[in-house]
Amino acid sequence: MASPAQQLPPGWAAEWEQTHQRYLFIETATGHTQWEPPTEPSAQMQQPAMDSPPIGAAPAHHSKRRQYAAGQTQAYYGSAEEPSMLQPMSQPPQQAGMEPQLFTPGLAAPSFAMQQQGQTQPPYYDPNQAQQQPDYINSQQQQPAYGQPNPNALADQFSQMGLGGQRSFSLQTANLLTSPPDPRELSLPPPEIRLPPNATVTPSQFANADPSYQRSTLNAFPNTSSLLSKSKLPLALVISPYRTVSENEPQVPLVTDTVIARCRRCRTYINPFVQFIDGGNRWRCCMCNLSNEVPQMFDWDQTRNQPGDRWSRAELSHGTVEYVAPTEYMVRPPQPAVYVFLIDVSHTAVQSGMVATATRTILENLDRIPDEDDRTKIAIVCFDVSLYFFSLPPGQSEPTMLVVSDVDDVFLPKPTDLLLNLAEARSGGGLESLLTRINDMFKENSIIGSALGPALQAGFKLMVPIGGKIIALSSSLPSIGVGALKNREDPKILGTSKESGLLQAASPFYKTFAIECSRAQVSVDMFLFSSAYQDVASLSCLPHYTSGQTYYYPAFNAARTEDALKFAHEFGEVLAMPIMLEVIMRVRASRGLRMSSFHGNFFVRSTDLLAMPTVATNQGYAIEIQIEETINTPFVVLQTAVLHTTCYGERRIRVVTSAYPVTSNLSEVFASVDQIALAVLLANKAVERTLSHKLEDARDAVFNKLVEILQTYKSSMTAAGAGASAQLAIGENMKMLPVLILGLLKNVGIRQSAQIPPDIRAYSQALLTSLPAQLLIPYIYPSFYSLHNMPPEAGTVGPDGVIMPPPLPLTSERLERHGLFLIEDGQTIFLWVGRDAVPQLIMDVFNLPSYDVLRGGKTTLPVLENSFSQRVNAIVQKTREMRRGVYYPHLYIVKEDGEPPLRLWALSALVQDRADVLPSYQQFISSLKEKVNGNGGY
């Protein structure tokens, strides 16, 4: 049988994608790319709509699939009589009268127009088509997790480098009324960056930073502020400069010769977008156009002590590089990594098992704490209504406990031996001895109360000369001393305009102390465990302003294995994380651009200098950009520079550089929108607005921004202009934006509800403002898979690890009573079990005889001696590991007729459904259409 690449209609080319092991199809006239094989328009018109395979057609199901409950027409893996609803759809026929540019391959549900015309929708999966597209499902499974390097890297980058000449953007319009969301589109790369020819000094495919490090909401910049205003599109950078890099990804190149070329005027670091002039002796800055001398040692290979090849220097061929900094970049010698643990040992903390789990986790991870040069320091302070310090002089194997009961005026009981050198404290066994005994020391503690504020002050005093990280573990509301808080949870104001007050810090201490910490290079991570109100909104202020992170474990109980495992895993990953110290970050841009507002966990020290005492990997930031004057250059450059000390004592500079073409054409601006970056920015802005205004204002602002974009698109890009339209038009590259916005509006951080506890809402907001795009997108638009009839390769190991099932649209219409489904948002995994699931399925997955004896709730899946159990476990494990970050989601079994709160929680992840006062996707699109046409709305 001919391959798809040999069956192309005129005007199309196919390119084998090594990363995905599948063909990428390119329309040669426009540069448009797609995964689905293109079909002839005429063939599309002639293709009949079929509800079932024709008589005599070969069955689509694999003959080796195990059939459960023999004799039942509906088998566990899907019946032979009914095509699986999970497989990729065939191309729907193009309807007469429909505009061809609005046709979208791969519709996920019957279109409204087809229903109106009384025509039948082709099946989601046509067995005949399956014979022609044997690799589609396999290749679909191998799509990498979102945020991996651009799958079209080579083709895209050749275009970016101008090797084939710059192509203009081709805007393709979709009709949202007939184009249901396809979750697979979220794993596609952003619109390509089409730079003019010879924009770079080397023809490198890595000249522009990978979008997982830095991406813009627009991949073509408007040349004037008025054009940007007209588009109604926000212009911003979304940055994750310190994302973790897996073994099979390109590492960030390290420049070790300490030769750093920077512009004398604007201080831009040399990069692939500069120009060499004067016979290569000078270089022209791509930001401010100043001519600079090339450093004398720039062309010298210091390793071999001979002339070097300039073009092999990483900073001229890579958008993301890291320099080893010379001494002039240091205010003081590089500091050691310092960790101060503040452990709540009140009655509640001990009884929940938090103290035992925390001390055991620290003990088990001592080897993983970064300490290659034996300089790392550590201190442990316990607290209830008093403070308990532990002294361990050098050479002593038994620690001494020192108690400070005066929490109104905190002091250190000893000037030395409280902050310990990690290697020395371990050499005599004293640190291990202390960690083993802390839980026993306090296991009979009946004291209720928390002096968290004084404990934070004590931790600060311990490390203030050096800086470092405070890790505070607290199980109750702070009640004693500075920073004491009152329970302000009031069910009567939930869902009202006063609710946003509960999301703001109740005490000024947490912000003023955070600023003190920031000045002294101290950051704070909060681990919160309370089963009652803990005021997460106030406590999360500290991580927010000190570039730390908040972790929340409501109703933590270590007696439940799952609770202990989740906390131990996440805490262990935090301890092992290579942190960056004494960090300052600045974004520079071409003339005419200015960084105007900043979102994320940091403190803005001056107009554009972001201070971050320590930076953990995989935090995300969003920075809005203003166009202050007309841009007359063919492209602009934005460069993020992050000066930091590694936890191994080396001063370094990470530089992330991106270039974007400039256009005066509104259609090119729309065609270049990166919907992922735009959703990340709007999530950050929505949370910020809840704190400065009200929750309702935040929801309205996000909805109205979407309406503005759609109105501008309709009036500028479609024939309808300012008049009413029967369609709701949007660019193909923004087709998922409305459902991402709907997911954001339904996220617990900002959704309309009188049932969400303030702590849960505040923690969600902390995630929305700190997660990188790869984690934030599934948090607002979860992943949804059908497991009972997944393709046979799903759950098995492919070239890129475990193959995942194809994702489904987030609607309960896809749930089947006999089925098994997985829903996950990166923080929680739900395993939904239909009430008519056959006993064999229950036995194979849960090792139980029937659905009736299955219990819902938090669980650990057994690994059984059958292939289906192993595949399901592999998918759950891949779900926990496939994204960057420390999070280890809980797994909940949800029975279709089980406990209502758990069912509603799981169903709330299906954001395309109607829930309570929140609209379904169809209702949301209808209200958008009315609003866009000027007739009211959401």
Side-chain angles (χ1 to χ4, degrees):
M1 185 168 61
S3 75
Q6 296 169 317
Q7 303 175 334
L8 293 176
W12 286 85
E15 198 172 273
W16 180 252
E17 262 299 329
Q18 192 63 37
T19 311
H20 289 5
Q21 295 292 303
R22 62 189 293 191
Y23 284 102
L24 178 71
F25 298 96
I26 306 165
E27 191 172 13
T28 51
T30 63
H32 166 71
T33 58
Q34 63 185 50
W35 295 119
E36 295 85 354
T39 55
E40 297 260 18
S42 57
Q44 273 181 351
M45 295 294 285
Q46 294 162 11
Q47 180 184 336
M50 294 184 293
D51 283 314
S52 57
I55 296 169
H61 296 283
H62 294 254
S63 57
K64 290 184 182 176
R65 275 195 210 173
R66 183 172 176 188
Q67 297 290 322
Y68 283 76
Q72 293 185 1
T73 54
Q74 180 60 60
Y76 154 31
Y77 281 127
S79 72
E81 288 83 2
E82 209 172 281
S84 165
M85 294 301 287
L86 280 190
Q87 319 233 11
M89 341 164 223
S90 58
Q91 303 270 355
Q94 192 161 325
Q95 301 300 310
M98 284 179 69
E99 298 178 38
Q101 73 269 27
L102 293 178
F103 166 69
T104 308
L107 292 179
S111 76
F112 180 73
M114 289 178 175
Q115 291 171 358
Q116 290 296 95
Q117 293 164 15
Q119 297 186 10
T120 54
Q121 172 78 1
Y124 182 62
Y125 176 69
D126 180 347
N128 287 338
Q129 291 269 338
Q131 304 307 314
Q132 299 162 23
Q133 301 178 359
D135 294 329
Y136 188 166
I137 301 175
N138 273 340
S139 54
Q140 166 62 30
Q141 308 314 317
Q142 293 167 12
Q143 287 197 13
Y146 172 73
Q148 298 285 329
N150 185 338
N152 304 340
L154 204 55
D156 283 3
Q157 292 288 355
F158 276 159
S159 166
Q160 288 175 10
M161 296 309 107
L163 297 183
Q166 188 182 9
R167 304 194 306 273
S168 61
F169 281 95
S170 171
L171 182 63
Q172 300 193 7
T173 297
N175 180 5
L176 288 170
L177 299 176
T178 57
S179 303
D182 182 351
R184 292 173 298 184
E185 294 192 11
L186 293 175
S187 59
L188 295 176
E192 65 174 306
I193 299 170
R194 299 179 178 179
L195 295 173
N198 304 319
T200 57
V201 289
T202 56
S204 167
Q205 60 170 315
F206 304 111
N208 244 335
D210 187 90
S212 58
Y213 291 101
Q214 178 166 286
R215 60 200 302 167
S216 169
T217 54
L218 303 177
N219 280 352
F221 276 42
N223 66 335
T224 64
S225 176
S226 60
L227 183 60
L228 179 62
S229 300
K230 183 180 179 185
S231 74
K232 303 296 183 188
L233 292 162
L235 179 57
L237 275 186
V238 171
I239 310 171
S240 286
Y242 288 108
R243 74 164 181 82
T244 45
V245 181
S246 64
E247 292 176 4
N248 57 357
E249 290 182 292
Q251 303 294 306
V252 174
L254 182 64
V255 181
T256 57
D257 60 8
T258 68
V259 177
I260 301 176
R262 297 182 68 181
C263 176
R264 284 176 295 123
R265 179 161 61 198
C266 70
R267 307 304 291 153
T268 294
Y269 292 82
I270 199 167
N271 59 73
F273 304 100
V274 304
Q275 288 178 304
F276 285 103
I277 54 175
D278 191 17
N281 293 318
R282 302 180 72 80
W283 61 278
R284 190 180 302 284
C285 176
C286 54
M287 301 270 195
C288 70
N289 250 7
L290 185 72
S291 167
N292 298 276
E293 284 188 16
V294 174
Q296 278 189 335
M297 301 293 286
F298 196 71
D299 297 316
W300 185 259
D301 185 334
Q302 295 184 23
T303 311
R304 296 189 179 90
N305 204 26
Q306 65 185 40
D309 175 14
R310 173 181 296 187
W311 308 113
S312 67
R313 290 191 70 94
E315 60 266 51
L316 297 182
S317 58
H318 286 75
T320 306
V321 293
E322 191 155 290
Y323 296 95
V324 174
T327 52
E328 58 261 35
Y329 286 83
M330 304 176 199
V331 178
R332 58 179 179 174
Q335 69 184 74
V338 178
Y339 298 85
V340 173
F341 296 97
L342 308 179
I343 305 175
D344 181 351
V345 290
S346 64
H347 178 75
T348 315
V350 175
Q351 291 304 307
S352 71
M354 182 276 280
V355 177
T357 311
T359 49
R360 187 176 66 248
T361 304
I362 297 171
L363 182 63
E364 290 171 354
N365 286 278
L366 286 175
D367 287 330
R368 299 178 72 203
I369 293 175
D371 189 25
E372 278 188 7
D373 52 2
D374 290 343
R375 298 197 315 148
T376 298
K377 295 180 182 297
I378 187 171
I380 296 173
V381 179
C382 296
F383 66 94
D384 44 31
V385 297
S386 303
L387 306 181
Y388 306 92
F389 295 84
F390 297 93
S391 168
L392 189 67
Q396 190 172 313
S397 59
E398 288 300 316
T400 307
M401 185 166 79
L402 306 164
V403 183
V404 174
S405 300
D406 181 2
V407 294
D408 293 325
D409 184 16
V410 174
F411 62 93
L412 299 182
K414 274 184 79 175
T416 58
D417 303 331
L418 299 176
L419 186 63
L420 316 170
N421 177 283
L422 177 58
E424 289 175 9
R426 294 189 68 189
S427 62
L431 182 58
E432 282 91 341
S433 170
L434 170 62
L435 289 166
T436 307
R437 290 165 49 194
I438 283 177
N439 189 61
D440 290 337
M441 286 181 200
F442 295 100
K443 71 179 177 186
E444 303 299 331
N445 192 357
S446 58
I447 295 172
I448 295 172
S450 166
L452 175 63
L456 287 162
Q457 290 180 321
F460 179 77
K461 286 177 184 291
L462 277 170
M463 64 188 350
V464 69
I466 311 172
K469 184 183 278 288
I470 292 175
I471 298 177
L473 302 99
S474 171
S475 284
S476 53
L477 189 70
S479 57
I480 304 286
V482 67
L485 298 167
K486 293 191 173 77
N487 187 341
R488 52 186 178 141
E489 187 175 34
D490 184 355
K492 292 195 293 296
I493 65 172
L494 298 184
T496 70
S497 60
K498 294 180 180 177
E499 184 179 3
S500 57
L502 299 179
L503 302 172
Q504 295 161 3
S507 164
F509 166 76
Y510 292 98
K511 183 166 182 184
T512 54
F513 180 68
I515 294 167
E516 265 187 80
C517 286
S518 181
R519 284 200 194 101
Q521 303 295 348
V522 173
S523 76
V524 183
D525 279 354
M526 299 293 291
F527 285 79
L528 307 174
F529 302 88
S530 179
S531 55
Y533 177 71
Q534 199 168 1
D535 204 345
V536 172
S538 295
L539 299 181
S540 62
C541 261
L542 275 172
H544 179 72
Y545 290 109
T546 63
S547 70
Q549 188 64 277
T550 302
Y551 302 91
Y552 184 41
Y553 307 88
F556 177 83
N557 181 359
R560 280 195 301 262
T561 311
E562 291 77 20
D563 281 15
L565 185 64
K566 175 182 171 66
F567 166 51
H569 181 278
E570 294 180 357
F571 190 31
E573 289 299 308
V574 168
L575 295 177
M577 193 183 290
I579 56 173
M580 277 55 72
L581 311 163
E582 296 184 288
V583 181
I584 52 172
M585 180 164 87
R586 174 175 268 141
V587 180
R588 295 178 174 88
S590 294
R591 185 174 172 179
L593 300 175
R594 182 176 68 83
M595 305 303 121
S596 59
S597 56
F598 306 87
H599 309 276
N601 286 3
F602 46 70
F603 182 67
V604 183
R605 191 181 291 174
S606 62
T607 51
D608 64 344
L609 192 69
L610 308 182
M612 297 179 272
T614 74
V615 172
T617 50
N618 303 313
Q619 278 203 354
Y621 314 96
I623 300 177
E624 293 182 74
I625 304 168
Q626 274 186 358
I627 300 176
E628 294 195 310
E629 55 188 77
T630 301
I631 303 169
N632 297 314
T633 52
F635 63 93
V636 293
V637 179
L638 292 103
Q639 187 178 79
T640 301
V642 195
L643 181 63
H644 67 281
T645 301
T646 69
C647 47
Y648 307 116
E650 195 169 51
R651 197 70 173 148
R652 288 189 179 182
I653 310 148
R654 178 160 292 195
V655 179
V656 185
T657 309
S658 306
Y660 301 94
V662 174
T663 182
S664 57
N665 187 328
L666 188 57
S667 72
E668 290 199 342
V669 175
F670 275 115
S672 76
V673 172
D674 180 344
Q675 59 189 352
I676 300 293
L678 189 47
V680 172
L681 172 70
L682 292 175
N684 276 274
K685 286 174 71 72
V687 171
E688 198 167 274
R689 197 166 179 86
T690 64
L691 302 178
S692 59
H693 293 70
K694 294 196 281 284
L695 279 160
E696 186 180 356
D697 294 334
R699 291 189 291 266
D700 289 346
V702 172
F703 180 76
N704 291 334
K705 173 51 70 178
L706 181 57
V707 169
E708 281 182 351
I709 293 169
L710 291 167
Q711 282 175 333
T712 306
Y713 193 94
K714 178 173 81 80
S715 61
S716 308
M717 300 292 121
T718 69
S725 170
Q727 298 172 342
L728 186 57
I730 198 167
E732 280 277 346
N733 53 308
M734 291 188 281
K735 222 166 43 177
M736 291 297 286
L737 184 61
V739 80
L740 290 174
I741 297 302
L742 179 61
L744 174 60
L745 292 171
K746 291 187 173 187
N747 184 277
V748 289
I750 62 171
R751 97 164 156 240
Q752 182 181 350
S753 171
Q755 309 296 322
I756 299 170
D759 280 351
I760 300 287
R761 208 188 269 283
Y763 177 60
S764 176
Q765 292 198 347
L767 291 176
L768 287 171
T769 53
S770 62
L771 291 178
Q774 191 207 30
L775 286 160
L776 181 61
I777 295 303
Y779 189 53
I780 60 175
Y781 189 85
S783 300
F784 179 28
Y785 309 109
S786 177
L787 303 183
H788 62 286
N789 56 358
M790 58 184 165
E793 66 273 14
T796 63
V797 178
D800 299 316
V802 174
I803 298 170
M804 296 297 283
L808 296 176
L810 290 173
T811 168
S812 57
E813 291 173 7
R814 292 307 181 91
L815 294 173
E816 297 169 343
R817 284 193 166 188
H818 59 276
L820 179 69
F821 297 86
L822 187 146
I823 311 167
E824 63 89 20
D825 66 358
Q827 303 295 318
T828 310
I829 302 172
F830 299 107
L831 209 53
W832 178 280
V833 189
R835 67 175 73 177
D836 293 338
V838 294
Q840 190 65 54
L841 184 152
I842 305 297
M843 179 60 75
D844 276 3
V845 179
F846 305 107
N847 202 26
L848 293 169
S850 71
Y851 174 85
D852 296 333
V853 296
L854 179 66
R855 293 185 59 186
K858 204 180 293 181
T859 192
T860 302
L861 275 185
V863 181
L864 305 173
E865 292 298 318
N866 69 77
S867 65
F868 190 68
S869 166
Q870 290 157 12
R871 288 166 62 203
V872 170
N873 272 284
I875 288 167
V876 169
Q877 188 65 18
K878 173 72 177 280
T879 299
R880 285 175 165 153
E881 295 173 352
M882 67 184 177
R883 301 187 188 100
R884 295 181 280 272
V886 304
Y887 299 102
Y888 187 84
H890 272 314
L891 174 68
Y892 290 87
I893 292 176
V894 185
K895 297 179 69 173
E896 184 183 342
D897 56 3
E899 298 173 11
L902 186 55
R903 283 181 62 251
L904 291 172
W905 184 18
L907 290 172
S908 70
L910 301 180
V911 300
Q912 290 170 225
D913 282 351
R914 183 174 181 174
D916 198 14
V917 295
L918 306 170
S920 68
Y921 178 71
Q922 289 302 328
Q923 290 169 321
F924 184 66
I925 291 296
S926 298
S927 63
L928 277 173
K929 181 183 168 222
E930 288 180 11
K931 194 91 169 176
V932 167
N933 284 333
N935 305 324
Y938 179 65

